[in-house]
Amino acid sequence: MELAVFVLFGLAALVSAALVVAHRNPVYATMSLVVTLVSTAVLFVLLGSPFLAALQILLYTGAILVLFLFVIMLLNIGRERSSGARSPAQTWSAVILALLLAGSLGRLVWDAHKDSEAPPLDATFVSLRGLSEQLFSSYLLPFELIGLLLLVAVVAASWLARRHEEDEPEVAAPSPEDRP
Amino acid sequence: MTVPVSWYLLLAAALFAIGVIGALTRRSGIAIFLSIELMLNAANLTLAAYSRLLGDRAGQMVVFFALAVAAAEAAVGLALFINIFRLRRTIDVNRLNLMRW
């Protein structure tokens, strides 16, 4: 059962990740990233952290990717034009580099962990209570700092994205005196 | 049958490599950003897998903080893209050569 779920959602994650990279239309690429993230959320559940799965769906697909879609539609970004494309040599060297990276990472992981057995899942590892107790005791300072970081990011983002009147040429808005 | 944790680690490595291909070959700034999110997600999967393997919740904590930082990063990054688009009318990284000599 676990194997079937793993294979199904692992394949879904891989295929949709390839679509994110390959698709020229940014809206479709974002939607397939949603599929990747939801599949990863399912894998988080299999790994015994349902809280992370919930966070992944709420935060990533619920907030971050909606922000992406919002910006894509706001800027009306269409398909990437193929004019002035990167040379095939550049693309192939990127692919070879990534394959080397994946191969060496996979080799490393396989050599280190091919026989390692995970301890059986118990209720205390999965429980939200244990997680929150740890979060609010030994990880309290990082937790507060994350709150501060999010505040700074919100202020910075809203300042950056506002319309800077002084930068833009004045659009000929009819002033009240000009009106007949 | 239970799935060995090493399979999750291999899957995460593959996802990371796909993200690397995207970040290196795409030209639209948004597409590069999406590929970076993909790599971040693969790293989160690795952390969760190690948390399971070692029976230690520290990995889950790091994923929690990484998610929050990703939210902040996406907000600021997308605001930067909006600004760049306003100034240059494009987010094609080949044409954004202001800081290139």
Side-chain angles (χ1 to χ4, degrees), chain A residues 3 6 16 18 20 31 37 39 48 56 63-64 67 73 81 84 99 101 109 115 117-118 120-121 128 138 164 176:
Chain A
L3 182 70
F6 175 80
S16 55
V20 172
M31 292 319 280
L37 295 174
S39 311
Q56 171 105 337
I64 298 180
L67 200 61
M73 289 173 179
R81 283 183 300 278
L99 283 180
L101 179 73
V109 163
D115 299 321
E117 282 284 321
L121 272 183
L128 196 54
S138 36
H164 299 267

Side-chain angles (χ1 to χ4, degrees), chain A residues 122-175:
Chain A
D122 55 347
T124 51
F125 182 74
V126 180
S127 78
L128 196 54
R129 187 195 174 93
L131 191 95
S132 49
E133 271 169 3
Q134 200 170 353
L135 184 63
F136 290 112
S137 57
S138 36
Y139 290 89
L140 187 59
L141 180 65
F143 185 80
E144 298 291 341
L145 288 177
I146 280 290
L148 190 65
L149 176 74
L150 284 172
L151 178 67
V152 170
V154 165
V155 173
S158 48
W159 186 83
L160 277 174
R162 80 169 212 270
R163 193 167 278 282
H164 299 267
E165 272 83 16
E166 65 273 22
D167 294 350
E168 292 182 22
E170 199 64 41
V171 190
S175 58

Side-chain angles (χ1 to χ4, degrees), chain A residues 2-149:
Chain A
E2 193 193 338
L3 182 70
V5 175
F6 175 80
V7 169
L8 184 64
F9 284 94
L11 279 181
L14 281 177
V15 170
S16 55
L19 271 181
V20 172
V21 168
H23 215 293
R24 293 201 170 274
N25 186 330
V27 177
Y28 287 127
T30 312
M31 292 319 280
S32 41
L33 188 59
V34 169
V35 177
T36 314
L37 295 174
V38 170
S39 311
T40 319
V42 174
L43 297 180
F44 280 159
V45 174
L46 287 186
L47 285 169
S49 37
F51 175 64
L52 287 185
L55 265 189
Q56 171 105 337
I57 288 176
L58 282 176
L59 248 178
Y60 248 120
T61 63
I64 298 180
L65 289 189
V66 169
L67 200 61
F68 269 96
L69 279 179
F70 184 75
V71 169
I72 288 169
M73 289 173 179
L74 182 73
L75 303 185
N76 197 13
I77 303 163
R79 294 162 154 268
E80 264 176 48
R81 283 183 300 278
S82 51
S83 63
R86 295 181 181 234
S87 59
Q90 210 170 359
T91 306
W92 282 111
S93 51
V95 170
I96 290 170
L97 186 76
L99 283 180
L100 272 178
L101 179 73
S104 47
L105 267 179
R107 182 67 199 274
L108 206 65
V109 163
W110 193 247
D111 283 350
H113 294 299
K114 69 169 177 283
D115 299 321
S116 2
E117 282 284 321
L121 272 183
D122 55 347
T124 51
F125 182 74
V126 180
S127 78
L128 196 54
R129 187 195 174 93
L131 191 95
S132 49
E133 271 169 3
Q134 200 170 353
L135 184 63
F136 290 112
S137 57
S138 36
Y139 290 89
L140 187 59
L141 180 65
F143 185 80
E144 298 291 341
L145 288 177
I146 280 290
L148 190 65
L149 176 74

Side-chain angles (χ1 to χ4, degrees), chain A residues 2 21 23 37 40 43 46-47 55-56 60 80-81 98 113 119 124-125 131 134 160-162, chain B residues 2 8-9 11 18 21 26-28 37 41 50 52-53 57 60-61 64-65 67 83 85-86 95:
Chain A
E2 193 193 338
V21 168
H23 215 293
L37 295 174
T40 319
L43 297 180
L46 287 186
L47 285 169
L55 265 189
Q56 171 105 337
Y60 248 120
E80 264 176 48
R81 283 183 300 278
H113 294 299
T124 51
F125 182 74
L131 191 95
Q134 200 170 353
L160 277 174
R162 80 169 212 270
Chain B
T2 59
Y8 291 93
L9 295 171
L11 177 66
I18 293 173
I21 294 178
R26 298 301 298 271
R27 286 174 297 121
S28 156
E37 296 290 336
N41 186 51
Y50 269 113
R52 170 85 179 85
L53 184 66
R57 251 195 241 100
Q60 296 184 20
M61 295 294 163
F64 175 80
F65 293 126
L67 282 175
N83 251 356
F85 190 81
R86 241 181 231 153
R95 297 195 201 161

